[in-house]
Amino acid sequence: MKITKKIQRALDEGRCFWSFEYFPPKTDIGVCNLYDRMERMYMLGPEFIDVTWGAGGSSAELTLQICTTAQAVYGLETCMHLTCTNMPREKVDEALNGAKAAGIQNILALRGDPPRGQINWTKVDSGFSNAIDLVKYIREQYGDYFCIGVAGYPEGHAENNDFGQDFKYFVEKTKIADYVVTQLFYDVDLYLKWVEQVREAGVTCPILPGIMPIQSYGGFKRMTTLCKTKVPAFILKELEPIKDDDKAVKEYGVSLAMSMCNKIKAAGGLGFHFCCLNLEKSVRLILEGLEFVAPIEVAKPLPWSPSLARNREKETVRPIFWKNRTRSYILRTESWDDFPNGRWGDSRSPAYGDIGCYGVSLKYTEEEALAMWGSPITVADICNVFVSFCKNELSGLPWCDQPLTSETTNIRNQLISINDRGFLTINSQPAVDGALSSHPVYGWGPKNGVVYQKSYLEFFVSPAELDTLIRKISDAPTVTFHAVSKDGDLKTNTQSDGPNAVTWGVFPGQEIVQPTVVDPVSFMAWKDKAFDLWNKWASIYKDDSPTAKLIRKLTDTWFLVNIVENDYRNGNIFSLF
């Protein structure tokens, strides 16, 4: 979707909105960590994100990869930066064709900075001299497919000492662009005066102020020096006594950004573009302090983050098993030529493709994993690792790389109890009987809807405990289960291999939506990955160590189980344990 459509919707509703800017990390592990951060920050409800472009396309492939992943995997409306620096026309075409193929409709067109080590900016053969030429070329080649943003400089461009000439050039640029994102600034009065001048010059497109929270004193000084940013005297004065205290500087940066946003809001501004520097905490604290809360339909249109890839735009149903492994599910199903819409249907249908084998990996380095999980040598030690995760004492497990969600608060004590007794949970959800779609914890989807879900548990357990559990389930007519070993030994009490909806919503003017299901065929595909993650855990230890031997034994002998309590009103799934 074009960014301007989302902006206009927010303006029509009279609400504040925000967006985040990221840059391509220099290492592979940095990219993986950025993806995790993007997934978490999705819940902060940005209208869009954008990703910067290295000079001369130095990070071109990575920029496009990150944009594509953000759009297709994490459901973030994405804008790709594109510069003229060291970019001949064929490179520009390659970048734009790649963006369009990925379903990306938003481009921030920039002249760009000189390449590293070069003082003056120069045009390359067959390239473009400035952002105006680049925007014109995009329009000529792609019509109105792309929503094109351009940069604004409230203090004037650093390389042009003639503010009047620079301003005239900017106004000309906005006539063929769709929106403006400004260079960072810290003088809000100067920014507001500039916006007033821009409007008086007849510019009507949206203007988003670039807000860069101060993360460290050294970084702040480098960035403002590089960009020749004017810093009000009071900021320098207030930073001086705390400049060597990183924590205090970061807290000041949060407070300052909140003050800037409030002043802009008081002057009528509703949109804010946060330059995150790939960091999360400061922006989250700023949004919380401003009480900026995205509407549920923006932050959570479905219980999972819907892909914005062009071939998945109608997808509304997924198996629950990949709840904590979104990227894996997307990659496993990327070759499908059709995706479930409204109902899961028969997952064996050729239209839905095969949930194939995508490689598994831990989201942590060996050092991080050892620090979190230690070196368990007994089953009780393994149980303690899972219990610690349920208590939020650990940030992740091989199957769950993020802490438990807020919806598990009401069942946290029960989860701790069953993990302590050897039922090692990797997925769960409580029952919900008719919560409003606007509910801050359970809500999702359009306004004025009602959502439901059945209680669900997924865990590893020993054969002996499984036998006891199956006997109890036989006396529970509303409970269904599937249990499978690494080698495919399947036990179940269901007669059908069709899907069982565990989440659904009722919304005005549309059919009932069933976005999450338990599907036996998908479960058998998921079990391969689930058991492989045990092996990945074992691999961080020496092959003949007691810990590696213990984990491999559990992998070879234990079962992966899912249980659904189909009575979402009166059932109690934990009474089975």
Side-chain angles (χ1 to χ4, degrees):
M1 180 186 293
K2 291 184 176 182
I3 285 171
T4 45
K5 288 186 177 180
K6 304 190 83 173
I7 292 174
Q8 190 58 52
R9 181 173 62 191
L11 294 176
D12 290 344
E13 295 172 0
R15 60 176 171 84
C16 290
F17 59 94
W18 47 94
S19 50
F20 303 147
E21 179 175 298
Y22 302 99
F23 65 85
K26 296 183 182 297
T27 65
D28 290 343
I29 190 67
V31 173
C32 289
N33 289 336
L34 177 60
Y35 288 151
D36 292 342
R37 190 154 289 169
M38 283 179 168
E39 187 172 16
R40 290 194 299 272
M41 294 179 76
Y42 176 100
M43 296 308 297
L44 297 177
E47 291 292 341
F48 69 94
I49 66 158
D50 62 19
V51 183
T52 62
W53 183 270
S58 59
S59 63
E61 290 186 6
L62 184 54
T63 294
L64 183 57
Q65 174 196 315
I66 292 171
C67 288
T68 301
T69 301
Q71 183 111 351
V73 177
Y74 302 117
L76 290 159
E77 197 67 62
T78 304
C79 171
M80 186 178 79
H81 286 211
L82 185 61
T83 72
C84 304
T85 306
N86 283 352
M87 290 288 287
R89 190 160 304 193
E90 55 269 24
K91 273 194 174 183
V92 170
D93 288 336
E94 187 177 325
L96 292 170
N97 289 333
K100 186 175 182 181
I104 295 165
Q105 277 197 278
N106 304 288
I107 299 291
L108 187 63
L110 309 161
R111 191 208 67 173
D113 298 322
R116 187 181 297 275
Q118 187 174 314
I119 297 176
N120 298 316
W121 192 94
T122 55
K123 173 189 171 183
V124 298
D125 291 342
S126 80
F128 302 95
S129 300
N130 49 54
I132 288 181
D133 290 344
L134 179 57
V135 175
K136 286 180 177 178
Y137 180 76
I138 297 172
R139 293 287 191 222
E140 290 169 2
Q141 298 298 313
Y142 294 90
D144 66 349
Y145 174 79
F146 286 111
C147 174
I148 305 175
V150 293
Y153 300 89
E155 301 172 15
H157 196 284
E159 296 178 22
N160 191 344
N161 295 323
D162 187 336
F163 183 83
Q165 182 190 57
D166 182 73
F167 187 81
K168 182 179 179 181
Y169 171 79
F170 168 74
V171 172
E172 181 185 352
K173 185 168 59 172
T174 61
K175 292 177 181 177
I176 54 174
D178 297 303
Y179 69 99
V180 174
V181 176
T182 77
Q183 173 73 286
L184 69 97
F185 61 89
Y186 291 97
D187 188 333
V188 178
D189 290 332
L190 184 150
Y191 165 76
L192 294 174
K193 182 179 179 182
W194 176 80
V195 170
E196 187 177 338
Q197 289 177 303
V198 170
R199 296 308 187 201
E200 288 175 353
V203 177
T204 59
C205 65
I207 299 173
L208 306 182
I211 308 293
M212 182 178 286
I214 300 173
Q215 303 287 352
S216 69
Y217 184 76
F220 165 73
K221 292 293 286 184
R222 283 192 300 273
M223 187 63 72
T224 52
T225 300
L226 176 68
C227 300
K228 300 181 181 179
T229 306
K230 296 176 183 176
V231 181
F234 80 89
I235 295 178
L236 296 175
K237 182 180 179 181
E238 290 170 352
L239 279 172
E240 182 62 27
I242 61 172
K243 65 182 181 181
D244 296 320
D245 185 337
D246 290 345
K247 183 173 183 290
V249 169
K250 196 173 289 255
E251 290 173 350
Y252 177 78
V254 170
S255 176
L256 177 64
M258 288 170 54
S259 174
M260 292 172 65
C261 291
N262 277 325
K263 195 167 186 178
I264 293 169
K265 183 182 175 185
L270 295 178
F272 305 89
H273 187 68
F274 292 99
C275 304
C276 300
L277 297 177
N278 289 6
L279 299 172
E280 172 185 2
K281 186 176 180 181
S282 290
V283 172
R284 177 173 56 78
L285 291 174
I286 292 165
L287 294 177
E288 289 175 357
L290 293 169
E291 297 184 350
F292 283 3
V293 179
I296 291 292
E297 60 266 29
V298 173
K300 199 174 180 184
L302 289 169
W304 36 268
S305 303
S307 169
L308 298 181
R310 294 169 67 185
N311 62 331
R312 306 183 81 111
E313 59 186 6
K314 295 183 179 180
E315 179 187 22
T316 60
V317 189
R318 287 184 190 170
I320 196 172
F321 316 117
W322 280 271
K323 178 181 178 181
N324 299 312
R325 285 268 171 172
T326 303
R327 187 162 183 258
S328 172
Y329 180 75
I330 295 291
L331 293 171
R332 277 173 172 262
T333 58
E334 65 182 350
S335 64
W336 289 13
D337 57 11
D338 192 15
F339 294 90
N341 174 255
R343 299 221 190 308
W344 179 254
D346 187 349
S347 61
R348 297 167 299 176
S349 166
Y352 294 147
D354 174 39
I355 302 181
C357 294
Y358 168 70
V360 299
S361 62
L362 298 178
K363 292 288 188 74
Y364 307 100
T365 64
E366 183 175 314
E367 292 75 18
E368 290 171 335
L370 287 169
M372 276 196 297
W373 308 324
S375 299
I377 58 175
T378 67
V379 171
D381 292 339
I382 295 279
C383 293
N384 286 336
V385 172
F386 281 76
V387 167
S388 296
F389 175 71
C390 291
K391 291 180 176 179
N392 276 346
E393 296 171 354
L394 297 179
S395 60
L397 293 172
W399 303 267
C400 319
D401 54 11
Q402 294 184 28
L404 294 177
T405 60
S406 57
E407 75 170 4
T408 61
T409 301
N410 291 336
I411 60 172
R412 186 182 301 277
N413 290 337
Q414 294 96 318
L415 290 174
I416 291 171
S417 175
I418 66 174
N419 276 278
D420 189 49
R421 287 182 282 139
F423 299 88
L424 307 180
T425 59
I426 60 172
N427 200 348
S428 62
Q429 70 176 33
V432 175
D433 181 17
L436 294 177
S437 60
S438 57
H439 192 282
V441 175
Y442 303 118
W444 54 270
K447 295 178 181 178
N448 304 316
V450 181
V451 298
Y452 301 81
Q453 62 189 42
K454 301 173 184 177
S455 49
Y456 173 82
L457 288 174
E458 186 178 332
F459 52 87
F460 292 100
V461 69
S462 70
E465 290 288 359
L466 176 60
D467 289 341
T468 301
L469 181 62
I470 290 175
R471 286 195 293 272
K472 292 181 179 180
I473 290 175
S474 66
D475 295 324
T478 59
V479 173
T480 51
F481 83 95
H482 298 85
V484 65
S485 69
K486 183 189 78 169
D487 296 327
D489 179 16
L490 178 67
K491 304 174 187 290
T492 182
N493 65 343
T494 65
Q495 302 301 313
S496 169
D497 60 359
N500 179 4
V502 292
T503 307
W504 64 101
V506 183
F507 303 99
Q510 65 182 81
E511 293 183 355
I512 292 175
V513 180
Q514 300 177 5
T516 316
V517 299
V518 168
D519 172 61
V521 177
S522 304
F523 182 59
M524 294 301 287
W526 162 243
K527 69 93 177 169
D528 293 331
K529 182 181 182 71
F531 280 106
D532 278 348
L533 285 166
W534 280 109
N535 291 325
K536 290 295 182 183
W537 185 2
S539 70
I540 69 175
Y541 307 98
K542 290 184 178 180
D543 195 53
D544 59 350
S545 67
T547 301
K549 290 179 179 178
L550 171 65
I551 293 175
R552 286 198 298 268
K553 182 179 179 182
L554 296 188
T555 306
D556 292 338
T557 60
W558 282 33
F559 280 75
L560 175 66
V561 183
N562 72 65
I563 295 181
V564 179
E565 170 54 87
N566 293 282
D567 184 350
Y568 57 91
R569 287 181 171 162
N570 303 308
N572 180 4
I573 199 169
F574 291 101
S575 66
L576 299 167
F577 300 91

